Amino acid sequence: MISFGSDLHSYGFASRKEFIMPAGDAYCSSSLAGNTRKYHGMLVAGRRVLLSFFEEHVNGKRISVARYAGALQDEGLRYLNGYRHYPPAFYYMVDGVSIKKSMEFDGGLTVRYDVCGEAELIIRPLMTDRGYHETRRNVTLDVIYSDNGFKAGRLSVWSSLPFIRDPQVYYNVLYERDAERGYDHVEDLFSPGYFKGVVKGSEALVRATVDGLEGKPEGFKVAGDIIGVLEMAADGFLVGDTVYAGYHWFAEPWGRDTFVSLPGLLLERGRFEDAKRVFRYFAGHIRGGLIPNRIPGGYNSSDAPLWFIYALGKYFEKAEDPKFLEESKEYVENIMSGYPDSEAARLEGALISVKPETTWMDTPFTPRMGKPVEVNALWVNAIQVAEKMGVEPPVRPIAALREFGRFWNEKKGCLYDVIDPVDDAVRPNQAIPLALGLVERKKASSAMEVIRRELLTPFGLRTLSPRESGYIGRYGGDASYHNGCVWPWLMGFYIEASLKLGEPKEKLAELLEPLLLHIQDAGLGTISEIFDGDPPHEPNGCISQAWSVAEVLRAYKMVKNKDFKA
């Protein structure tokens, strides 16, 4: 499905292609040129990097890649002649000997070296034990040795090859992507020894596991097409009874991200039992009408409870489930009774006013205090869903919808981003009320034209129009995060709004093609968190984001489903 050839000889190319294989609360991840981030690791469990990478030699020639401060060790790329994904498979040729290295991850790592010819293999594991946001120096680990491997803490590594005890510390390992981001990027790694043996026309295996870590119960899967690849990526975000927001550094539950993602990750795929477990998990964390922004974390999200009800509404559109409907009424009642006078939001008239930095645009550079357009669209939707479920909302939907009309900006022909006080910056949040059908057709058409002209890119919607004075076209941290960067998840709502206005499904399907092809770019087999606002729209942020994958899947289902009616 995804493959590369001689381009891999270039470190600049190979180091920008990353893979990730999640399984429960663990993952295996690297670039095709070795670890370039402190978040990379052959076995990362519970947000701790345990097994960093393998240093590999074939007949005395190094085939692995690593970089050390002051020393480049990327000569192994000259022997790498092909890569195929998924699962990851690397193809090497060293002096006439062919080696295929394949990797599978089910909560434990299996690396298989298939040798055509005769090769002396030396495989040295390099290890640490640290949180994935950190680096570590002067690493020493307590090791228990055996003939075919070792155990260090919870980590066990063994092989079909004999193990030779040879403790070493590798100093000043460099992670250049973290250096680019301005974070700690140099650390030391420990190796207890190496596996060594001659393999002739056969195979060698290395296996690494972590005590107490459960693997994938369904075993390892191979996808057959682009959508199959994305659905496999979608499965990787479901961890137990919750959803992780993104990899690498958002590998934890986030309330808002979960319920934006849930329709595309689960409901569109008929995963209703999984969805109910997620609803119940977060319902158990409702406090004062709020859903936590992250777990563990604070109750500072003004939109997470509304996204929860949005996803519930989508559930009952898809599934006839009277028993769960009765159960869900309590969840909705808890939100309706507490949310309108909560730590994050307050009911003013029939609309919702929020505290600063509580919407999805949550940095100090986009405080958005007042009445944000998407929060109030979700509020109107939430009280509509509540009424349908038989729950009495604090205001009538017709009153809230009438007052929502105040968001119309006659001068720009689109919706204000915030009112009370007014912010007329052209932002993509207005796509959400358009997708929900809350704006009459003539005005909706006008607003969609503004979005198309000023915000639409091949990879989603810009967070701010380039015509606005605060626009930043290249990602550069929090200041640019919501002031120009493109977010793929917004494409789902753009597509839905376009369908409501009668746009042909065939044309909208073509609009999704660049995002589908992106699975061959930064995070292989998945979709990035953000892109630059300016061409060529380089990917940035997390290499794999739940709501990016979810909303592209949902959009694809909408444009390909002949029975879908907007």
Side-chain angles (χ1 to χ4, degrees):
M1 190 69 235
I2 300 170
S3 58
F4 305 104
S6 60
D7 286 341
L8 296 169
H9 296 161
S10 164
Y11 179 84
F13 179 89
S15 65
R16 297 287 161 157
K17 308 294 183 185
E18 301 176 59
F19 65 86
I20 184 160
M21 296 185 286
D25 194 26
Y27 66 77
C28 168
S29 181
S30 189
S31 85
L32 303 190
N35 293 355
T36 60
R37 303 182 191 270
K38 59 191 173 188
Y39 300 94
H40 284 155
M42 294 296 95
L43 211 168
V44 181
R47 292 168 289 283
R48 293 192 70 80
V49 180
L50 302 177
L51 177 61
S52 183
F53 69 93
F54 294 141
E55 184 178 71
E56 301 151 316
H57 290 81
V58 175
N59 291 336
K61 305 287 179 64
R62 180 190 178 109
I63 64 169
S64 57
V65 178
R67 291 199 160 194
Y68 304 91
L72 307 183
Q73 299 279 354
D74 55 8
E75 71 273 10
L77 288 176
R78 75 180 68 176
Y79 304 112
L80 178 58
N81 298 295
Y83 172 85
R84 188 179 298 278
H85 188 88
Y86 205 80
F90 298 78
Y91 297 85
Y92 302 92
M93 179 74 77
V94 180
D95 298 335
V97 178
S98 171
I99 302 98
K100 174 187 176 184
K101 180 179 80 172
S102 54
M103 305 169 65
E104 294 185 3
F105 191 75
D106 60 0
L109 173 70
T110 301
V111 183
R112 184 188 312 272
Y113 300 85
D114 288 294
V115 177
C116 182
E118 183 174 336
E120 180 187 68
L121 300 181
I122 297 177
I123 303 162
R124 179 184 282 274
L126 286 110
M127 303 153 51
T128 184
D129 185 359
R130 59 164 173 82
Y132 70 170
H133 293 305
E134 307 161 1
T135 55
R136 186 176 176 186
R137 306 305 293 262
N138 303 313
V139 179
T140 56
L141 299 172
D142 293 330
V143 179
I144 300 171
Y145 295 94
S146 67
D147 290 341
N148 67 340
F150 60 89
K151 181 176 174 63
R154 296 170 58 206
L155 176 71
S156 298
V157 183
W158 68 95
S159 175
S160 58
L161 301 175
F163 180 74
I164 297 173
R165 181 174 176 174
D166 180 33
Q168 300 281 343
V169 176
Y170 281 51
Y171 294 98
N172 301 319
V173 178
L174 174 68
Y175 303 121
E176 63 180 33
R177 296 302 297 271
D178 292 308
E180 292 170 5
R181 298 175 67 229
Y183 294 111
D184 292 342
H185 55 274
V186 178
E187 73 170 348
D188 305 331
L189 297 171
F190 174 73
S191 173
Y194 55 87
F195 302 103
K196 180 178 180 180
V198 175
V199 179
K200 182 176 181 180
S202 184
E203 67 177 25
L205 296 175
V206 180
R207 174 75 174 166
T209 59
V210 175
D211 293 348
L213 187 67
E214 295 182 6
K216 289 183 179 178
E218 71 274 17
F220 199 82
K221 297 185 296 185
V222 178
D225 58 17
I226 287 179
I227 297 306
V229 169
L230 281 182
E231 289 189 333
M232 188 161 60
D235 291 343
F237 298 111
L238 185 65
V239 179
D241 295 337
T242 189
V243 171
Y244 279 5
Y247 296 103
H248 301 89
W249 44 86
F250 295 140
E252 56 195 1
W254 285 61
R256 173 192 301 118
D257 297 55
T258 293
F259 295 107
V260 173
S261 302
L262 194 134
L265 289 186
L266 298 176
L267 301 183
E268 290 292 340
R269 303 168 60 212
R271 302 276 293 271
F272 300 123
E273 291 303 314
D274 290 329
K276 284 194 286 190
R277 294 203 319 272
V278 175
F279 282 122
R280 288 167 178 149
Y281 175 84
F282 276 91
H285 289 81
I286 295 174
R287 301 287 185 275
L290 295 177
I291 299 283
N293 189 40
R294 57 193 288 196
I295 299 177
Y299 288 78
N300 58 339
S301 172
S302 61
D303 53 355
L306 305 180
W307 283 115
F308 180 96
I309 296 176
Y310 163 85
L312 266 182
K314 292 290 186 185
Y315 179 94
F316 292 117
E317 287 177 10
K318 296 281 183 183
E320 290 264 344
D321 196 337
K323 186 176 179 181
F324 187 59
L325 177 63
E326 284 302 310
E327 177 186 336
S328 300
K329 285 182 181 180
E330 181 182 351
Y331 310 156
V332 176
E333 286 169 351
N334 287 343
I335 292 171
M336 286 293 150
S337 63
Y339 175 77
D341 187 20
S342 63
E343 295 178 24
R346 181 176 70 255
L347 183 62
E348 291 183 354
L351 297 181
I352 293 294
S353 183
V354 309
K355 291 187 177 179
E357 299 173 44
T358 62
T359 73
W360 81 276
M361 292 183 166
D362 57 1
T363 74
F365 301 94
T366 47
R368 303 182 74 225
M369 67 181 299
K371 298 183 175 74
V373 65
E374 84 286 2
V375 171
N376 281 283
L378 290 165
W379 169 247
V380 174
N381 176 76
I383 58 181
Q384 289 173 337
V385 170
E387 273 202 345
K388 288 178 184 176
M389 293 176 65
V391 175
E392 184 75 18
V395 295
R396 298 263 71 84
I398 192 169
L401 187 57
R402 186 185 306 116
E403 196 169 339
F404 187 82
R406 294 179 52 217
F407 280 96
W408 182 248
N409 180 352
E410 187 67 38
K411 183 177 179 180
K412 290 190 174 181
C414 62
L415 301 180
Y416 289 117
D417 190 58
V418 182
I419 60 173
D420 302 336
V422 165
D423 180 357
D424 70 346
V426 174
R427 293 188 181 274
N429 302 301
Q430 61 188 301
I432 294 170
L434 299 177
L436 292 173
L438 303 183
V439 181
E440 60 96 355
R441 187 178 184 85
K442 184 177 179 182
K443 290 179 178 178
S445 296
S446 173
M448 284 295 287
E449 176 58 26
V450 172
I451 293 172
R452 186 197 62 75
R453 185 175 64 244
E454 301 186 33
L455 303 177
L456 182 63
T457 76
F459 301 104
L461 302 184
R462 294 184 180 97
T463 40
L464 185 64
S465 167
R467 301 183 183 188
E468 303 287 349
S469 60
Y471 174 76
I472 302 173
R474 295 275 187 269
Y475 174 69
D478 280 357
S480 61
Y481 208 37
H482 302 119
N483 284 316
C485 284
V486 171
W487 291 71
W489 75 270
L490 294 163
M491 187 67 94
F493 291 90
Y494 179 86
I495 294 286
E496 189 173 8
S498 297
L499 287 169
K500 277 189 163 60
L501 293 172
E503 288 288 326
K505 289 183 179 180
E506 299 77 15
K507 293 298 181 184
L508 294 173
E510 292 172 5
L511 194 59
L512 286 173
E513 286 297 320
L515 271 169
L516 296 176
L517 292 173
H518 170 67
I519 68 168
Q520 302 178 77
D521 196 1
L524 301 177
T526 186
I527 299 179
S528 298
E529 177 190 11
I530 55 175
F531 294 77
D532 288 347
D534 286 350
H537 307 295
E538 291 292 329
N540 261 301
C542 285
I543 65 166
S544 182
Q545 193 79 357
W547 58 11
S548 297
V549 171
E551 280 300 286
V552 171
L553 278 173
R554 189 172 76 93
Y556 181 86
K557 302 280 186 181
M558 284 190 284
V559 297
K560 293 297 184 179
N561 182 359
K562 294 180 180 179
D563 298 324
F564 177 82
K565 295 181 181 179

